[in-house]
Amino acid sequence: MTPAARIATAAELLDEILAGTAAEKVLTGWARRSRFAGSKDRAAVRDHVFDALRCMRSFAALGGAMTGRGLVIGMARSAGTDPETIFTGEGHGAAALSDAERSAGHAPESGAEAGDMPDWVWPHLTRALDEDAVTVAEVLRHRAPVYIRVNTSLTSAEDLTRELAAEGILTTPGPLAPTALEVTEGARRLTSTIAFGEGQFEMQDAASQAVCAAVPVQDGQSVLDYCAGGGGKTLALGARAKLHLTAHDVAPERMRDLPSRARRAGIDVHLAETEALAELAPFDVVLCDVPCSGSGAWRRAPEGKWRLTEERLAQLLGIQAQILDEAAALVAPKGVLAYATCSLFEAENTDQIDAFLTRTEGWQLETSRRLTPLEGGDGFFFACLRRI
Ligand SMILES: C[S@@+](CC[C@H](N)C(=O)[O-])C[C@H]1O[C@@H](n2cnc3c(N)ncnc32)[C@H](O)[C@@H]1O
């Protein structure tokens, strides 16, 4: 495919996404229908689509329309490229610009439009970040670095760096956690490496690794990952100490890959149904990596930025409070309740912890930390509460 044909395809796929279909579904459907597209074409189209999703408001402003075509015209203008050079109407490229398109578009207004945020989200960001809101929003408009977590129970960062380099994959030490490596070349091939097959690393954001490193665990403790999902944090905890590790999720199907991931990493994990937890309790440590807005990770999952609503956020706040209450009941005396979100909003972070401490006796806050994308990883919040 020519560069212009890839952009024309991205515009069509963006229209499907704007009509409500999930981006991954749209991209997979297109790849299946388009056998002529090679892996480089698929990667380029995907990158165009995700770039546009990250910057949807500002590109629509610049391009003059919230349509697939408006977005890619805005994308060209934002990059300082004259859209006439892309929209030539030749071959499989997009049709030439109309006079209306030539004159449409305006520079994005400062604030939510230039920051590529929904209007209702902007006060949440400014409350949490003050003047950093503008810089954080700007960072979220760009692709995320690729980080891996070294499985230090099997290898070291130095050895893994050498081993990956031998397979043509280049890494440098990442931020926030000694286990984090940033992949600077060859990221798309990571999961087909020998080192991956041997469990020497997992894909995990650097801030997520820092959160796992902050959970106080020691050899011999019983630890419950209450919202385990795919088990990224379960495995990171299991690599730090010899634990009696239990993983739970209200949607157990989300943990379906965890047994094979744990085997690869050389870590023992017991998967538990909700009904079994009372019998397995008490645990020395319970981690709640709760469902949240995902606002700290919007550069990785930009669709979430536009699909989140105030109603959904209110619903999430209720779920988070309920999880804290349920999980607290499973913690042993003097044990730890760890709470984490990949959100930047105070409502999901410090407000939740303050409200929990107000309504529940017998707990004290030991540590809390907020990470923003300005520190290199996703935005995260972590709080560690101890039963007294
Ligand atoms: C942020 S994700 C977890 C990601 C995972 N910890 C990781 O690092 O890969 C939140 C998870 O919480 C689960 N969840 C939602 N409501 C829950 C509840 N009431 N109890 C337990 N888990 C819940 C969701 O199914 C989802 O898998």
Side-chain angles (χ1 to χ4, degrees):
M1 292 171 77
T2 61
R6 289 169 175 172
I7 289 176
T9 301
E12 283 167 23
L13 301 184
L14 282 162
D15 276 328
E16 288 183 47
I17 296 166
L18 286 169
T21 311
E24 287 301 346
K25 192 169 176 206
V26 168
L27 283 160
T28 316
W30 168 73
R32 241 183 242 133
R33 295 192 300 275
S34 314
R35 295 282 170 213
F36 59 87
S39 62
K40 286 198 176 129
D41 297 321
R42 287 202 295 274
V45 168
R46 183 186 180 82
D47 283 349
H48 289 322
V49 165
F50 275 87
D51 288 348
L53 288 174
R54 273 182 211 100
C55 302
M56 210 152 88
R57 266 194 97 171
S58 63
F59 285 1
L62 284 165
M66 183 58 89
T67 60
R69 200 169 152 88
L71 289 173
V72 296
I73 292 171
M75 176 155 45
R77 287 185 177 141
S78 163
T81 307
D82 181 353
E84 304 279 358
T85 62
I86 302 171
F87 296 81
T88 58
E90 287 165 15
H92 295 287
L97 294 195
S98 65
D99 287 342
E101 284 174 327
R102 252 177 224 117
S103 56
H106 64 269
E109 281 173 32
S110 64
E113 190 170 60
D116 278 301
M117 290 288 163
D119 285 328
W120 72 269
V121 163
W122 198 245
H124 283 279
L125 270 197
T126 50
R127 180 183 160 211
L129 299 162
D130 288 319
E131 64 268 24
D132 280 346
V134 172
T135 338
V136 168
E138 179 57 29
V139 173
L140 294 175
R141 298 178 70 246
H142 299 275
R143 287 179 208 168
V146 177
Y147 295 116
I148 57 174
R149 176 180 58 78
V150 184
N151 181 358
T152 47
S153 66
L154 295 181
T155 186
S156 67
E158 295 73 26
D159 286 348
L160 180 61
T161 298
R162 264 194 301 277
E163 218 172 293
L164 288 176
E167 294 196 58
I169 290 167
L170 303 187
T171 58
T172 57
L176 296 168
T179 48
L181 291 178
E182 181 176 348
V183 182
T184 53
E185 209 175 302
R188 289 194 207 272
R189 283 181 285 115
L190 276 169
T191 51
S192 42
T193 58
I194 296 168
F196 183 75
E198 290 176 350
Q200 294 186 41
F201 69 89
E202 282 284 339
M203 312 294 294
Q204 192 174 31
D205 174 70
S208 181
Q209 297 184 43
V211 163
C212 296
V215 180
V217 291
Q218 296 171 19
D219 284 353
Q221 283 186 323
S222 60
V223 175
L224 169 65
D225 188 353
Y226 191 73
C227 304
K233 292 191 181 59
T234 320
L235 298 179
L237 292 178
R240 284 187 48 217
K242 291 187 172 37
L243 306 172
H244 303 286
L245 202 47
T246 303
H248 161 267
D249 198 288
V250 75
E253 68 280 5
R254 297 209 174 177
M255 300 190 290
R256 67 181 163 263
D257 294 337
L258 184 47
S260 61
R261 288 177 78 188
R263 249 191 320 279
R264 200 169 56 226
I267 289 165
D268 279 337
V269 184
H270 170 69
L271 268 50
E273 300 274 335
T274 306
E275 300 69 41
L277 289 179
E279 216 161 280
L280 294 167
F283 296 90
D284 297 310
V285 177
V286 178
L287 169 63
C288 305
D289 181 27
V290 295
C292 71
S293 62
S295 48
W298 276 343
R299 59 183 171 169
R300 226 174 270 290
E303 237 181 325
K305 186 153 78 167
W306 312 111
R307 305 257 195 242
L308 183 70
T309 60
E310 289 182 89
E311 294 68 32
R312 175 63 183 150
L313 179 61
Q315 192 188 21
L316 285 165
L317 296 178
I319 294 170
Q320 292 158 0
Q322 193 188 338
I323 288 176
L324 273 171
D325 293 342
E326 288 167 5
L330 302 170
V331 178
K334 309 252 185 282
V336 163
L337 178 62
Y339 176 83
T341 71
C342 58
S343 169
L344 294 164
F345 303 160
E346 298 282 284
E348 299 182 275
N349 297 340
T350 41
D351 290 359
Q352 280 292 11
I353 296 303
D354 290 348
F356 173 79
L357 290 170
T358 304
R359 71 175 175 269
T360 323
E361 280 190 8
W363 290 90
Q364 71 185 21
L365 178 63
E366 264 190 355
T367 52
S368 78
R369 186 176 180 198
R370 189 197 57 198
L371 297 165
T372 78
L374 302 182
E375 285 149 287
D378 289 344
F380 259 95
F381 173 78
F382 170 77
C384 180
L385 304 159
R386 193 170 290 274
R387 195 188 269 283
I388 44 179

